Amino acid sequence: YIDAIPRGAAGDPLVRLNLAELIGSSDPNLAIAHLEKAREAGYAEPELDRALGYRHADLGRWKDSLDAFNRYLDRTGPLDAAGREDPARNAAKEFVRRSVLPHVEE
């Protein structure tokens, strides 16, 4: 997949988002690069910031992680499109509370 993305071009932002999800834990730096390229290509959905939040946390970049999660949480509501609690949002909030905030508040 990575070889299929044109060099120097933003490429399809959803391809980059999916690549970032696939390689996220094993190579957070590369995942962040793909997420930023997706943003440059015009992808502006909140899940991009959620993914950035997790990847920055993987690298111990706590302030960047918190900033990304705050952008995500500011742009999403507690309920999904079907009117149910959004499990991804709830998981992100819990992750921030348990894993990110203790490092930022130090």
Side-chain angles (χ1 to χ4, degrees):
Y1 288 116
I2 293 171
D3 291 338
I5 298 173
R7 298 248 183 243
D12 183 336
L14 289 177
V15 170
R16 292 198 181 271
L17 181 71
N18 290 331
L19 280 170
E21 289 298 316
L22 289 171
I23 62 173
S25 307
S26 62
D27 193 343
N29 280 312
L30 185 56
I32 289 170
H34 281 293
L35 292 167
E36 292 299 341
K37 287 285 189 182
R39 187 186 312 278
E40 290 171 20
Y43 192 77
E45 295 300 315
E47 68 259 21
L48 185 137
D49 285 313
R50 183 182 70 226
L52 281 169
Y54 285 117
R55 299 300 67 91
H56 282 300
D58 288 340
L59 295 168
R61 297 178 186 159
W62 304 113
K63 177 72 170 88
D64 292 333
S65 176
L66 182 60
D67 290 345
F69 277 121
N70 280 335
R71 287 190 305 270
Y72 167 70
L73 293 169
D74 285 346
R75 296 183 54 218
T76 59
L79 303 179
D80 65 13
R84 298 177 303 240
E85 282 193 27
D86 184 349
R89 187 176 196 276
N90 289 342
K93 284 176 65 175
E94 186 63 16
F95 181 81
V96 168
R97 186 180 71 74
R98 287 186 178 202
S99 302
V100 178
L101 285 178
H103 295 284
V104 174
E105 294 174 349
E106 291 178 346

